Amino acid sequence: MKFINKVFFCILFQAVSLQAQTELPSVFGDNMVLQQKEKVAIWGKDTPKTKISILTSWGVSKTTISDDKGFWRTFIKTKKASFNPENIEIKGTTIVKLNNVLIGEVWLCSGQSNMDMPMNGLGKSKVLKAEEYLKKAKNKNIRLFNNPRAASTTPNFKTGGKWVNSDELSAKRFSAIGYIFALQLSENLNVPIGIIESSWGGTRIESWIPKKELLKYKDIKFAESVPKEQNKQRKPTFLYNAMIHPFQDFKVKGILWYQGESNRTNPEPYESLMEDLIDSWRSQWNSKKLPFYFVQIAPYNYVKFKKGKTNYANFIREAQLKIIQNIKNTGLVVTTDLGDCKDIHPSKKGAVAKRLANWALANEYKMHKVQYKSAEFESIKISGNQIVLNFKFYKKDYFINTKNIKGFAIAGEDKVFYPAEVSIHNDNKSIMLHNKNVSKPVAARYGFEDCFESNMQTKSGLPISIFRTDKWPE
């Protein structure tokens, strides 16, 4: 009888022990990077009302108590960036040790397939000069966290994935834009870099926004369960719940975003939805000024290959441009020179990543000599049968005289657009447009074509965004 009781006690003890373990989301793990010189949130689960003690190898200690449901949360201060590996011990019901932790700069990248596209390509689409970038992949001071695809009807606690050192194999499977961005920061800042990828191809922006932000849109319908069909990633709020919310306010320096292609069929609400995305993510990360740098969708012939409507993709690009003009601490990478009319996944991911990195280097790391911002249309003036367009330039940039500049069109009151002949003013910051068929022009457009690829040059090498001076519906 004593033997039976002893066996029963051992089984019961093991069962309780298995249930009562100190648990952390996987974003807290070996090889992770923590944002330098910050109060960094750390959280987990344990048995209710358990004392949690945290001790770091750089001398910070913290204690807290898990709540009635077992959740606990606190903050630890990080030191200046260093290549010296650190460790963290979390002691609750059990002890968890996090080893080989670096302190440096951390960024999160998200979006659909052009962000998701790995260094080894996506189907027939390849990354230009991939081999060149992969030669630099073996770097223990660049850490990659690839969050697996997941969908949920309610906000999740757990993240998937794990932190790994950058090497050729891990980089091949990682977002090309995310990896090359990290490489650029590493080379320019000389500190450890952590990059988190949480993206999924073919997704609409509604999938990445919390439900409470979407309730005001009367046409959005919410599913009550995760469907088994292939398109579960397209359901409103599902990806936010499973792939963004679990990171809570894990401290990052900023966000990189590349999405919009899947919203081209209904572009009208995109600007408002983008505002909701930025506001809700900044709220989650408890940072009203969290940098948010994103990529304008690249040239591709949606009309020919996707049976899309003329200009609908351009309305998305226009909305993306308006966001940076209206919301502080945002930046746009213009891609009118980086697309492929026959491939929705263009190959020049390195150029996109470098432009994103230049936004970060100039604004977050105060490298003031870096050219990062494209010129923007500023004003229009009608002069007889000509239109004069003035542009706002940054850092002493200007237009370079280019022959046969394409993409500009003008229209009169009849709203019929004709290709414009273009001449650059002597100041190299304004241009003049005319067409013999338009005697009294009233409006101009740039890049409003099925697939527009820019040939207009600037000193900085940065193209200007598509734009229009009218507000006509088509």
Side-chain angles (χ1 to χ4, degrees), residues 136-187:
K136 303 177 181 179
K138 191 172 180 59
N139 188 335
K140 64 181 181 180
N141 297 313
I142 295 178
R143 308 287 175 83
L144 311 174
F145 185 96
N146 199 338
N147 194 29
R149 296 171 175 178
S152 176
T153 57
T154 56
N156 285 358
F157 168 77
K158 291 184 178 180
T159 53
K162 65 178 182 179
W163 287 98
V164 297
N165 291 349
S166 174
D167 58 28
E168 186 171 349
L169 181 60
S170 61
K172 275 184 176 180
R173 298 171 177 174
F174 200 79
S175 161
I177 289 175
Y179 162 70
I180 299 171
F181 175 87
L183 199 62
Q184 292 296 305
L185 292 196
S186 176
E187 291 175 354

Side-chain angles (χ1 to χ4, degrees), residues 338-382:
L338 300 177
D340 185 332
C341 289
K342 297 179 180 179
D343 191 347
I344 199 170
H345 304 120
S347 64
K348 298 175 183 177
K349 293 294 186 284
V352 172
K354 288 176 182 178
R355 289 179 185 176
L356 283 168
N358 284 344
W359 270 97
L361 292 170
N363 291 286
E364 311 316 316
Y365 304 111
K366 310 307 177 188
M367 293 188 176
H368 299 299
K369 293 182 180 181
V370 173
Q371 288 276 12
Y372 66 96
K373 192 171 185 179
S374 294
E376 295 176 23
F377 163 72
E378 190 169 40
S379 64
I380 179 174
K381 180 182 178 181
I382 310 297

Side-chain angles (χ1 to χ4, degrees), residues 208-278:
W208 298 97
I209 300 174
K211 183 176 181 178
K212 64 179 181 179
E213 302 294 338
L214 297 178
L215 293 174
K216 61 189 174 188
Y217 299 96
K218 303 304 180 184
D219 59 330
I220 293 180
K221 307 299 180 184
F222 300 97
E224 295 182 358
S225 60
V226 177
K228 294 181 179 179
E229 76 264 19
Q230 189 176 0
N231 289 328
K232 62 185 177 183
Q233 74 272 22
R234 289 177 172 264
K235 302 298 182 182
T237 209
F238 275 19
L239 303 191
Y240 169 80
N241 289 337
M243 298 180 67
I244 297 300
H245 178 269
F247 291 105
Q248 297 190 31
D249 57 342
F250 183 86
K251 197 69 177 181
V252 296
K253 190 71 172 183
I255 305 290
L256 309 177
W257 176 255
Y258 194 163
Q259 189 276 338
E261 298 91 341
S262 290
N263 284 87
R264 71 188 184 280
T265 55
N266 182 27
E268 186 176 351
Y270 192 79
E271 182 182 356
S272 177
L273 289 165
M274 189 74 178
E275 290 175 353
D276 293 332
L277 180 93
I278 294 171

Side-chain angles (χ1 to χ4, degrees), residues 97-137:
K97 291 184 178 180
L98 309 179
N99 299 307
N100 196 26
V101 175
L102 292 180
I103 297 176
E105 292 296 314
V106 185
W107 287 76
L108 181 141
C109 60
S110 185
Q112 58 179 110
S113 56
N114 272 305
M115 182 62 85
D116 195 30
M117 182 173 169
M119 284 298 299
N120 63 355
L122 191 62
K124 294 181 180 180
S125 303
K126 303 301 178 184
V127 176
L128 185 66
K129 297 181 180 180
E131 297 82 3
E132 180 181 319
Y133 294 116
L134 289 171
K135 286 178 182 177
K136 303 177 181 179

